[in-house]
Structure formats: structure tokens, C-alpha cells
Amino acid sequence: MKREDFRSLTESGIVLLDGATGTNLQKYGMPSGVCPEQWILDHPDAITELQRKFVSAGTQILLAPTFTANRIKLSEYGLENDLIDMNRQLIELSKKAADNKAYVAADITMTGKQLYPMGTMTFEELVDIYKEQAAAALDAGADLFAVETMMSLQETRAAIIAIREVCDLPIMATLTFESDGRTLFGTPPECVPVVLEGLGADAVGINCGTEPDMMRDLIKRMYEYSRIPIIAKPNAGMPELENGKTIYRMTPEEFASACSSLCDCGAAIVGGCCGTTPEHIASLRKAVEGKTKKPVLKEKRRVISSERKIYEISDGTFNVIGERINPTGKKALQAELREGKMNIVRSFAQDQEKAGAAILDINVGTNGIDEKQTMLNVITEVSEVSSLPLCIDSSYPEVIEAALRIYPGRALINSISFESEKLSRLLPVAKKYGAMFIFLPVSDEGIPSDIKVKHGIIEQALICAEQAGLDRQDIVVDALVGTVGADRESALKCISTWKFCQKRGLATVCGLSNISFGLPERSFVNAAFLVMGISNGLNLAIANPSQELLMNSAAAASMLMAYENSDIGYIKRMEGYRERVASLQPVSTPSAASVGNTKKEPDPEDKGRLYKAVIDGDKANITELTKEELDKGAAPSDLINGQLIPAINKVGEYFNEKRYFLPQLIASAGTMEKSIEYLTPLLTDNGDDSKKETIIIATVQGDVHDIGKNLVALMLRNYGYNVIDLGKDVPADTIIDAAIENDAAVVALSALMTTTMMNMKDVVTEAKNKGYGGKIIIGGACVTESFAKEIGADGYSGDAADCVALVKKLLA
Amino acid sequence: MEIVCPGGKNILKYLLEKNVTIDTPCAGNGSCGKCRIKLIAGDLPVTKTDKEHLSEEELSTGIRLACAAVPDKPVRIELNELGNVNAVTLNYKSAAYDNGVCGIAIDIGTTTIAAALTETQSGRILDVYSAENSQRRFGADIVTRIRFDSLNHNGELTNTLLDDMVKLLNHFAVKYPGIRKNIRKIVISANTTMIHTLLGKNTASLGVYPFAALTLGGEEMTLKTLLRGRYSAIDKNTPVYILKGFSAHIGADIASGITALGLLESDKTAVLCDLGTNAETVLVKNKRIYAISAAAGPALEGGNISCGCAGVDGAVCSVKIQDSVCTVKTINNKPVCGVCGTGVIDCAAELLKNGLVDKTGRLHDRYFIKGYPLTRYTDGRILYFTQDDIRQLQLAKSAVASGIEILLKRTDTSPEDIDCMYIAGGFGYYLNTDSAAAVGLLPRELCKKARLVGNTSLMGAVKLCRERDNTDMYNSFTEIMLSNDEDFNSSFIENINFTEE
Ligand code: B12
Ligand code: FES
């Protein structure tokens, strides 16, 4: 199939693809975990029957089951040496099933291995892997290629470049989108046609991932930016789990009607992915039969793109190309590039994006470096930290070519001149990688001083570009600003060139600062010149976006030109501006005086004087008060259970809520301790069930923080436990020996340093070795619940109050 | 920013490899809950660690902790990168370099590394340099780094630090090509742990009681030996001198500060306090040196604080509350990104002054639940100073105040006896001493005599590029161990409260 044939096929009406392969083959008994390609070859009848059904349902293009027949995937099953043979056999199977009633596309997808910088695979390695599969498919007689279920735009680029370097068959490329409307790797739909069309894709679109309705908006956005047909291959609904099996619920009718509405959004090639059967395709055929499809847009738009964002250089917009990533005159940057470091580059990229640049210029030309390699490294780095599209700036064509090859987007070349060698070398490069370019009207004779000659050169260049297969929309003309010092009319000459270009549908750009060379206080001249540019239709300027005067003037001028949304742009920018210059940001809060001071609120559950004394931490009077209560005839155990325990519970609550802090907690606990001390001898011995278990507590070896531990011990004592405190910096064996000797029910350990918390594990091990049978609980600021689990402790609590509850629970 | 992470790899580890620094005060221990990321696309199952630190609501919006996250397949996440810390170096008048003989003085701090290029003859400073200590990604505080070191034993801390050294030396060499063969001496001042990592020594024993140091410094060697085969543009035979410290916690940085200020050469009674995660404080009295190290915790550097951050651009560094209106100032007037240590102290002081916090540190009822609204982030969200933040400050300020109290008590010194208090360190430089006195971080009496002196560790190293150090110093040193002090615990508890003016 020739690319023209594909085009006329799609022009003749909506084209029908097939449905799912994987989910249908499972019904034929394909188990999970096997190499699908091998299984298909072992059970050829299954695929033949399935694909025949698709063809009779109306499929016009069948996808051969070569989905993962690439070297990396096959090698997972030790089958990499059979690659050529397998691709051939699989394609032959599909051709047999198609029986000349449908075309057969070789199917290609992701390898599962990640590209540098995320993984270790280089771009060229990946291109080679795809080339190998493409060549095998070509030999086997595939009619065209389908690159599908791609999550990464960059890997899709690699596949398309590979196929194009092998043959000239049509290519359909589809990506999979996540619920946030972008691919897993972050690409929004409009980037896809912008980047892939120029590389040589014949149709682009979406498959898998989502149900048809969720694709509507994505398809619309793709359609708006595409001059090739759009593909939609949704799932039969979202996957749902039923009895451990994944199922798709959409019926053929539901699927068909949802899919046909995708055609209204701009899809021209439709089919089904996971969960769609031949019946789904048959219904779909009925639904789209006779439907008039939206025609593919003819007009090319001036759009460049990164992997994550497009930028359209349309008339009625002005924006800045950030110029700072350029080592000329920047010693620190030069030194970094020489050392292979990227810190400055990264921060320049981020700063410029924040300051409002729309595109970033990348120039790494300095002595003492390998410019090509450095350019590639910088592009990789910048693409990671910034989502802005890039402008590739170098005087060496080979650097530009290498950069365009690995740039995961559609770049702007800076620049191509009319010098014969550059022109003939770079126009084909721009074409091959589908880039836009800045045109410099400089000929072999140098910079034309006569404006007519300059305009003549621009006309000529346009013709050359069109001959090379490029369009006028791919060109941005640099008017070549001269300094006013050398020629008083140089600004006026620029204006005339801008007008000339605008009439011919050519976008314009200019390097600003040259105009003011040699003048005092250049920033005013630059700003004035910029405003003149904007009012005469200038589209882009190469400048430093961190200059407030320049950027603010540009925002204001765009607004006065009534550019779309430029008023909002101005207002937004001014908000940011105020923040950048203003230092004071008042927040008003109600005055304190009007509400009086913070007081402990009256406790509605006041249970008596001892209760109150503990809450207030009234250590001085507690013994007196206890005596008085006893004199009044209260039983000691009632005082403990009716007042002291409820009070310390309340205090614990306050502490938990952060209402009370350490001094308050300690004062309260200490108050209670004193009262208990007085009451204990008076408790009648016969009710001996109140006698509680023994707890050993210690700060572990290497750590001498004991404030928390002491507090925990104090609290536990107040609740009646027999606490033995071994102190701080206590070795594991001492702790466990004491626990066994005293028949302790609980060992409580404290540590506050990340370096000593590991010593808690030693205690747990020691306990095992010596056969200690009680519980071990741990705490201290650096300790966490999961650490407790990790070392095999029985419990953890974050503070002293919770510790009591924890012990209660463990001993219940 | 957004970033795609590969499957099968711990996300924090991957970010470290990519040199993307996020806030990880506990260096992946899972205890601080600060290493937040947001899942945008793909799958990241909720881990136990996530559950400990994050609310249901946060989990459902895709917030996860990077140090516990290992995706099966690639995922796309969103994160906040950590900004650069504003380092304080030295005041100097820049001068042209005329090919004379020079020295390089270096101060390796836990957070930042600072250096000065100085002319040997005149003693003039030609240029200064500062950069973040790249070890920061292995933990904000020293103990966390020691733990990292003892768990991994892979020399990672040393490699990182030596790379930083090379960067620093090359910086000067590129800027002043003439100095390459003209550097006569490199003097390095640092705390004891940094000296260990610089020399490739095992730091494990520094992390646990009784804090045995394998070296306190004092080494002399060539640059070649120091850099262990790394290439730098400075002549590899240049002698390097590493200053000597007193103990595991009172390091060469403090000794260098004593030298810089000439404390032993004077008859005055003086206090030098280096405020930070640890407040090392020395008292020089009758030509003797007494020292304590008070572990304040990260609050004074913005750690542990809900909206806290280091002293980066955009950190709130001063606060004023008047007539119920709160105004704040940020570092370099950049958009608000959090509150740094001086902001924390200022804020607490202002709340106290306005009666919005009581003596026990409890916030006014009106603000008790959500916190006091300090200012807004650019996206309109309000930045709250919470009850828990005040609690953290209380712990920190009490540790410092109690440490100083014990230091004075054990040396029979009263605040009136002291002639001058020098406050050193990057954090101390921006401190509002009135606020410090108001919250009780430092005794009011001493605050009246306070001088903010900046990076005295670097100043001392500059001085020693020309002179030999005073070795007598080491014989007149006494460390007062707070951990064994009988009064420390009760002071600590008492000082947690605020005092009324
Ligand atoms: C006070 C203090 C000290 C005092 C300790 C006095 C003493 N006798 O305890 C002094 C000044 C001596 C000290 C010394 C040191 N400290 Co200190 N210290 C602190 C500080 C400021 C407060 C700790 C505290 O007491 N909190 C209050 C108590 C009540 O809380 P808690 O212990 O967590 O206990 C609560 C819960 O965790 C729980 N709990 C506690 N134990 C248990 C046990 C069980 C079984 C259960 C269930 C619950 C439980 O209940 C308690 C109440 O609710 C913190 C910093 C901070 N802001 O947190 C640093 C801190 C803990 N110290 C630290 C360090 C590094 C040190 C030193 C090595 C440094 C130095 N330069 O001196 C030395 C070494 C001491 C040693 N060998 O252990 C670091 C640890 C860092 C890390 N990543 O691990 C911290 C975090 C400060 C920092 N630099 O960041 N320190
Ligand atoms: S929880 Fe502290 S770094 Fe992850």
C-alpha cells in the first residue's frame, strides 16, 4: 500500500479497523504469562477464525498479531533469534485471514524497557530495535504499520523514525491516555499530531486506556491540530473486576453509538481495543455506514511542541523566547558545561519558564566542549525540568540534526540562513524531523543592506523551502535588527520587513537588544522597540524574560493590541509582579483584646477537689486536700477511681490534643503521684485484685534521653502498675535479665535518636534468645509504628497517655 | 514540577539519582512524613508509612511519601523541589587579584559550605563562595546522616563532600586562573562529623553514647591525599590543614570561632553561641573555655514545623502583629514558601506579646484548632502557624535556654558577669534578639549584649591561612555534659513554659 493509497482510502469515508486481539484470544484459551506470539503460532486456527470474523464484520485494516514481537519482549521468552521468522509467520496468518478483502498492518508497541534518562536504553538503541521489527514486517509483506498503545511520545517518535528509515509504507500511530487527559508520560493530545505528522505519520490517534465517551474531548483536541486523519480505538468500557476476571461491559450497540459520536468529534478511522468482539465491529460498521466524516483540516498551523505542551505562533500573539541558556559571556555557565554539570542550565530553564518565556533557546556553543554531546545532554536535562518547547540554536548543522533527532517534540531551529551550504544542508533535515525554523535573510554575500534585496531573499527562501517539502507555516523570519548607532533607520527597516512577512503569512522573530548597542540605559530603548514590534505584528522576540520592564511592556502592548486573552495575561502578570516587588503581605485577624485571654475552660465533668487539683497540677496542696477528703469519710479506693483516674485521663486527653504540654502533664502526673503515695498504705489488702502487673522500662543503650521515658513511667505508675525503671543507656541483656527475674508482663523501651533506635532490635532478639515471654513495647520521638512492626515489637504508642491504653490493651 | 518515575525502583532513590532534591528531614526513615509527592498518573499503592502520616483525604487525592513508594510500572508524579539555602559568608570589599600568593579558607557546615579566597600578604579577602552541602539529601541533620552512613557503609557521604570540595576549588580557579599555582595553604574548618566524612572515617561511633570520635581534626596533608584521586584545577601538592576541635560535639568550627573572635587573647568574659539544630555554646572566662552542646532539634531551622522550611528564598523571616493585622517579610522578598527559624521565633514572640498565646504555650481558643493565619501562599491558601508548631519551638528553645543555664550554673557565672555574647551561624545572623529574649530562647540580660557575627568558623579559617593556631587552647577546655547533669531535666521542663515579661 502506498501512502497516497492510504490517503485516498481515508478520504473515501470512515475507515474501519478491527477489535481486540488479546481479550478475544483469551476466550480461545490463551493463558496469561505465555508469549502471546508463540501461543498464536502454536494455535493458528484461533487467530485465523477471529480475524476472518472481523473481516466479515467490516474491518478494512487488520492488525497482524505482532504486537510485542520485538527483540526485547521476545528475549523475555528466549525467542529473540526467531524474530524474523515469527513476524513473517504472524503476518502471513493475517494475510490469509484477510484474503485480500482487508489490508494487513504490522503491529508495533512499547518494549517495556525505559529510555534514558529514566532507564538505560539510548534513543538509537530503541530505533534499532524498531528497525529490526519493521524490516522483518516489510519483508513479510505487511501493507502498512500500526504503532499502538504507546504511553510515551518519545518512544512513538523512535518507532516512526525507524519505520521511515526502513520504508515508505503508511504509518498509523496511536497513544494511550490516562484519566487526566494525558499519556502516562505526560503528553496531552494536541502534541501528538503536531510532533508526529512532520515525522511522517499518516494518521494519529488514541487507543486503549479509556472508554469511548472519555475520548471525545481528546479526539477534538487532536483534530484541531492535525492535517492527517484521526484514529479512535477505545475499549468496550472501563475494565471491571468480576470473580477475579477483568471484564468490559459495553454491549456492541452501546459501543457503536458511542464510537460513532467520536466521528462527530473528528475521528475518521475507528475500531475497538480491549473487550471489543467482531459483534462490536459489526455494530460499529452499521452505525457509521453512510455517515459523513469531518474532513481533515487543510490549513497548517504554526505550532511547535515539547513532549508536554504546544505553543502556537499565531498572528495576534506575542511571546518571548528565553535566551539565557547560552554560554556566551557567562563564565559560570561555560565552566559548568565544560565540567558536564547542569545546575545552572536547570535553574535557567526553570527561572525563564516562571518569568513568562514561551519557548527556550538552547545554545551551548563554547570552546573546550563536545558541542554535539553537550547539546544532547542539555536537551535531555531541560526537557525534564521544563515543559516549554525548545529552540535549537547552533552554528553547526550536525549539532542541529543530532538535536532534532532526539528532541521529544517539534522544535524550532535557530537558524537557517540563505548561505547556500547551510540552506541545502538544513532544509532536508528540517523536513525529515518535521521542525520549524527561523530564517535569517543572510546570503553568501553577507547581510543585505538594501531592504529590497532582503525581501527578495525571503521570497527566494520560501520557494526553496516549498521545494524541500516544507510550508510557509514552518518558517519564522528574523528581520535582522541593526543597531541604531550604525543606522538611524534600522528600527523602521525592521517594521517594513515585519509588514512584508505578515502579508505573506510568514511569522516573525527578532533579537531585541542589538538595536540599543552603544546607547546609555539600553533597557528603555529595547522596551520601546519591542512595543513598536508588537504593534507591527511581531510574533516572537529572543530576550531575557527576567527583565520586568521588557516583559511588562510586552504584556501591556499585547493588551492594547487587543490580542485574545491578553488582558487577562496582563492582569495575571501584574499579580505576580506585585508579589515579586512587594514584601509585605498583610493578613488580618480578629483582635485578641476583644475576646479576652486564653483561659482553661470550666470542665463540665468536675468530679471533686482532687480531680481539680490534678487537672491544675496543684502539687503543693494535694496532700492536704487528700486528707480533707478522707476526713469527710471518702474511701481511698473511691478517691482513686472516682477522682484521680478520671482526672489523669482528662489530662492525657488534653496532652493528646496539644492543649497541655510537658510541664502541665508532668505537674498533673506528679500531683496525682503524691496523692496516691498518701493513699496506698490505706488501701485495704483484701481487695488484692487491684495489684497490677510489673513493667520494666528503660532507655536503650547508646541513648541518654530519658525525659520521655520518665514521663511514661510516671503515668504507668499512676495507673497502678508496678514499674521498674532501669534508667538510661541500658544494654539489651540487662533489660531482659531484669524482665525475666521480675517476671515482668511488659518491657517498655525508649529511644530518641535514629542511631539508637536500632538497639531496640537487639532487645527483641535478646528476648527471643533468652525465652522472655512477655510483651515488648517501644516509643520515643523517632520511632514509628512501622518500625515497631519491622523489628517485631508488640506495640508502639506516640505519647505517654496512649501508652497506658496500649498496655491495657496488650494485657487484657 | 512533574516527573515520570520508572517501575521497580524506590521513588526517593530515583529522585536522588536525578539530583532532584525534595524535603527529606529523616532521609527516608519514614518518620518525618515530609517527603510528600502527588500521584498524577499510574498506580502507587498506599503503604503503611503513608497511612501513618497522611489523612484519608490526602491519600485519596494521591498524596504519598516518596521514601516508601515503589511503583510496579512507571508513574507520573508531582513534587516540590527544595530551594537553595541562603548562606551567610563574610563581609568583604572585593579586590582585584594581582597574582599574589593566596590561601583558601573553607567552612564545611552541615547545611552549607562556605569558602573565602584570601591574599596571604595583606590578609585581604578577594572573594567568597557558598553552596549547599550536597550531603543534605542524606538527611537534614547530622544524626540522620550518621545513621545513613552506618547503614550503608558505602562512602557516599565522603564522595559527595569531596565532590563539593572539587567544585569549590574549581570555582575559584576558573574565576582567577592565576591562582592555580599560587595557593599556599588550604585551611578547613568543620564540625567533628564533617571532618570524619571528609577524611573517609566511619561515623558510626559519633551517633551513639559515649560519642567516641576517631579524630578531632588537626591533620595536615596534600590536596592530592585529601581528594583521593579526584582532579581539581588547584595544584595537587598544595598543603591542606584541617583545624582541630575539642570533642565529638564541640568541633573545629567552634575552635575556629574562638580564634576568629580572639576570645582567648582578651580578658573579657564572653559567650559564643552557634545556633542551629544543635546549639553549641562556649563560655570563655579567665582564659578557660567551658562548653555545652544543646540538642535543640530542627525547629530553629524550620524543620518539624508544619509550614516550616529552611532559610530559602521566600521563607517568612520576620513577623509583626499590630492592631490584629499580621504582616510578614520573606527572604529576598520572594513569594511565600514557608516559615524559617527566625520567622518561627518572631511569630511566637508576637503572638505572646498580643496575648494570643499564653504562658503554657497554648494558642488562643480562636486559633487553637486550625492555627494562627500568618499569611497566604501565592495560590491563596493560608499558611497557619499551629499549636504543634509552638510546641516544637518550646522544646527547642528550652533545650537551648536550659543548656545555657547549666553552663552558667556550673561555672558560677551570672549573666551580669558576661561582657559580650556572640551569636554565630547562618541562622543566628538574621535573628531578632528581642524576639529571642521574648520567647526565652536566650536570657534577656545576654540579649542586650548580643552581637550577630555571622560565620565565625570561616572567619577563623581565614585568619589561620596566615597564622598558626593557638594549641594552648586545647588544654584549657572543659565540656559540661548535659546528659549527665542532675539539674538539666528539671530546667528543661521548667523552661518549656514562656515567662511573663
Ligand atoms: C532535651 C533533649 C536533649 C537533652 C536530653 C536530656 C535528657 N536527660 O533526656 C540533652 C541536651 C542532654 C540532649 C543531648 C543529646 N541529644 Co537531644 N534532644 C533533646 C530534645 C530537645 C527534646 C527531647 C525530649 O525530651 N522531648 C520531650 C519528651 C517528653 O518526648 P519523647 O522523649 O519523645 O517522649 C514522648 C513520646 O515519644 C513517648 N515515649 C517516649 N518513650 C517512650 C517509650 C515507650 C515504651 C512508649 C510507649 C512511649 C514513649 O511518650 C513521651 C511523652 O508523650 C530533642 C529535640 C526535640 N525538639 O525534640 C533533641 C534530640 C532528640 N537530641 C538529639 C541529639 C542528636 C542529641 C545529642 C547526640 C546531640 C548533642 N549535641 O548533644 C545528645 C546525645 C544524648 C544521648 N546520648 O542520648 C537529636 C536526635 C536526632 C536524630 N535524628 O536522631 C534531637 C531530635 C535533636 C536534633 N538534633 O535534631 N538532648
Ligand atoms: S518520611 Fe521522612 S523522608 Fe520520608
Side-chain angles (χ1 to χ4, degrees), chain B residues 24 26-28 30-35 67:
Chain B
T24 53
C26 76
S31 52
C32 70
K34 286 239 172 187
C35 58
C67 68

Side-chain angles (χ1 to χ4, degrees), chain B residues 217-237:
Chain B
E219 286 83 356
E220 290 180 58
M221 61 187 73
T222 61
L223 185 56
K224 188 170 139 191
T225 317
L226 178 78
L227 295 183
R228 301 174 168 229
R230 281 173 182 70
Y231 178 85
S232 97
I234 305 285
D235 185 356
K236 60 180 189 298
N237 293 317

Side-chain angles (χ1 to χ4, degrees), chain A residues 114 117-118 178 180 182-186 308 331 335 339 341 343 346 350 384-385 579-592 595-601 657-664 666 702-707 710 728-729 753-759 782 784-787 789, chain B residues 1-2 4-7 14 18 20 29-31 40-42 48-49 52 74-76 81 143-144 146-147 167 170 174 207-209 211 324-330 333 335-336 354-356 358 360 362-368 372-376 378 387-388 391 394-395 483 489 492-493 496-497:
Chain A
Q114 276 131 31
M118 220 206 304
E178 299 283 326
D180 73 336
R182 293 187 289 159
T183 68
L184 181 72
F185 283 61
R308 279 169 282 166
K331 281 211 174 124
E339 276 178 57
K341 299 242 164 103
N343 293 342
R346 289 175 84 103
Q350 287 168 319
E384 271 191 332
V385 298
E579 226 141 59
R580 288 189 294 274
V581 294
S583 54
L584 300 175
Q585 298 119 330
V587 167
S588 171
T589 53
S591 116
V595 258
N597 213 333
T598 320
K599 283 221 178 68
K600 277 174 211 143
E601 61 262 33
E657 293 168 10
K658 301 261 151 56
R659 215 172 268 273
Y660 270 19
F661 203 33
L662 293 170
Q664 293 74 43
I666 289 173
D703 203 323
V704 295
H705 290 93
D706 62 356
I707 294 172
N710 293 348
K728 50 195 181 184
D729 187 24
M753 300 197 294
T754 35
T755 43
T756 54
M757 60 193 249
M758 283 322 285
N759 297 346
C782 64
T784 62
E785 176 99 55
S786 45
F787 177 73
K789 290 224 175 86
Chain B
M1 80 186 247
E2 253 188 33
V4 182
C5 300
Y14 179 70
K18 303 254 46 156
V20 175
N29 184 40
S31 52
I40 306 293
K48 255 192 275 162
T49 316
E52 276 168 28
V75 290
R76 179 147 48 85
E81 253 192 299
V143 181
T144 309
I146 294 176
R147 177 179 137 97
K167 197 161 106 190
N170 287 350
V174 168
V208 292
Y209 188 77
F211 310 108
S324 326
V325 173
C326 174
T327 38
V328 304
K329 213 172 143 50
T330 63
N333 297 325
V336 175
N354 287 273
L356 298 173
D358 72 8
T360 70
R362 193 178 143 196
L363 258 175
H364 192 283
D365 285 347
R366 188 182 283 272
Y367 306 118
F368 181 74
Y372 178 80
L374 205 53
T375 181
R376 284 178 194 277
T378 36
Q387 181 62 63
D388 198 36
R391 297 309 188 198
Q394 284 181 278
L395 288 179
S483 43
N489 281 10
F492 179 72
I493 294 296
I496 285 177
N497 283 335

Side-chain angles (χ1 to χ4, degrees), chain B residues 419-449:
Chain B
D419 298 302
C420 186
M421 173 166 73
Y422 297 97
I423 298 177
F427 162 73
Y429 200 63
Y430 297 106
L431 184 70
N432 177 338
T433 47
D434 279 339
S435 298
V439 300
L441 173 68
L442 299 168
R444 182 163 289 282
E445 179 65 28
L446 290 187
C447 279
K448 289 184 202 145
K449 303 169 188 166

Side-chain angles (χ1 to χ4, degrees), chain B residues 38 49 59 172 178 190 233 304 373 414 425 429 440 448 453 462 470 484:
Chain B
K38 187 171 175 185
T49 316
L59 291 174
F172 284 132
N304 264 358
S414 81
Y429 200 63
K448 289 184 202 145
V453 283
V462 167
N470 170 358
N484 299 328

Side-chain angles (χ1 to χ4, degrees), chain A residues 489-613:
Chain A
E489 288 182 0
S490 56
L492 298 178
K493 285 182 178 159
C494 279
I495 291 179
S496 106
T497 304
W498 292 331
K499 285 191 170 151
F500 171 86
C501 289
Q502 213 178 10
K503 251 186 237 146
R504 281 158 188 76
L506 293 167
T508 49
V509 61
C510 90
L512 267 191
S513 54
N514 211 19
I515 189 88
S516 59
F517 187 75
L519 285 167
E521 300 301 332
R522 295 173 62 181
S523 58
F524 297 107
V525 183
N526 295 347
F529 181 52
L530 181 69
V531 171
M532 288 167 71
I534 294 172
S535 61
N536 284 288
L538 178 67
N539 300 104
L540 289 165
I542 302 183
N544 177 355
S546 40
Q547 295 166 285
E548 291 283 350
L549 174 63
L550 208 68
M551 297 300 282
N552 294 344
S553 311
S558 301
M559 176 177 64
L560 298 181
M561 290 294 287
Y563 285 169
E564 207 177 316
N565 289 330
S566 57
D567 46 351
I568 293 179
Y570 180 79
I571 291 165
K572 263 204 191 139
R573 184 158 179 93
M574 285 309 110
E575 265 170 15
Y577 175 68
R578 250 182 265 134
E579 226 141 59
R580 288 189 294 274
V581 294
S583 54
L584 300 175
Q585 298 119 330
V587 167
S588 171
T589 53
S591 116
S594 62
V595 258
N597 213 333
T598 320
K599 283 221 178 68
K600 277 174 211 143
E601 61 262 33
D603 185 348
E605 319 156 44
D606 196 342
K607 300 211 159 46
R609 292 202 292 163
L610 294 192
Y611 179 91
K612 188 160 182 313

Side-chain angles (χ1 to χ4, degrees), chain A residues 302-362:
Chain A
R302 291 193 298 242
V303 193
I304 57 172
S305 174
S306 70
E307 203 175 1
R308 279 169 282 166
K309 198 173 180 173
I310 58 163
Y311 177 71
E312 181 160 13
I313 312 171
S314 55
D315 287 327
T317 61
F318 169 82
N319 261 303
V320 162
I321 303 178
E323 68 181 6
R324 293 181 66 199
I325 303 179
N326 184 333
T328 315
K330 299 190 186 85
K331 281 211 174 124
L333 181 56
Q334 289 169 10
E336 257 210 18
L337 291 177
R338 275 187 210 115
E339 276 178 57
K341 299 242 164 103
M342 292 289 156
N343 293 342
I344 301 184
V345 167
R346 289 175 84 103
S347 66
F348 275 5
Q350 287 168 319
D351 292 351
Q352 293 187 103
E353 178 164 10
K354 254 194 231 137
I359 301 170
L360 297 177
D361 189 78
I362 309 288

Side-chain angles (χ1 to χ4, degrees), chain A residues 230-401:
Chain A
I230 302 295
I231 308 163
K233 221 173 173 258
N235 293 342
M238 291 306 271
E240 286 170 50
L241 220 54
E242 201 180 77
N243 303 329
K245 265 195 183 157
T246 314
I247 54 157
Y248 297 84
R249 286 194 193 279
M250 270 188 150
T251 63
E253 293 70 34
E254 288 165 347
F255 176 78
S257 87
C259 246
S260 101
S261 83
L262 288 178
C263 294
D264 303 328
C265 301
I269 303 174
V270 289
C273 211
C274 302
T276 54
T277 61
E279 292 74 49
H280 286 84
I281 300 302
S283 295
L284 180 57
R285 175 197 188 165
K286 268 192 231 130
V288 299
E289 221 162 23
K291 200 176 169 85
T292 42
K293 67 179 193 72
K294 279 181 103 173
V296 172
L297 296 179
K298 288 262 152 36
E299 192 61 19
K300 192 167 190 176
R301 299 170 78 154
R302 291 193 298 242
V303 193
I304 57 172
S305 174
S306 70
E307 203 175 1
R308 279 169 282 166
K309 198 173 180 173
I310 58 163
Y311 177 71
E312 181 160 13
I313 312 171
S314 55
D315 287 327
T317 61
F318 169 82
N319 261 303
V320 162
I321 303 178
E323 68 181 6
R324 293 181 66 199
I325 303 179
N326 184 333
T328 315
K330 299 190 186 85
K331 281 211 174 124
L333 181 56
Q334 289 169 10
E336 257 210 18
L337 291 177
R338 275 187 210 115
E339 276 178 57
K341 299 242 164 103
M342 292 289 156
N343 293 342
I344 301 184
V345 167
R346 289 175 84 103
S347 66
F348 275 5
Q350 287 168 319
D351 292 351
Q352 293 187 103
E353 178 164 10
K354 254 194 231 137
I359 301 170
L360 297 177
D361 189 78
I362 309 288
N363 182 318
V364 297
T366 184
N367 58 338
I369 61 161
D370 174 352
E371 183 171 336
K372 189 150 108 190
Q373 193 51 49
T374 310
M375 176 62 100
L376 300 187
N377 297 347
V378 169
I379 287 179
T380 311
E381 205 70 25
V382 171
S383 301
E384 271 191 332
V385 298
S386 163
S387 58
L388 296 183
L390 304 185
C391 178
I392 310 288
D393 185 357
S394 170
S395 351
Y396 300 101
E398 60 275 19
V399 174
I400 292 184
E401 172 157 17

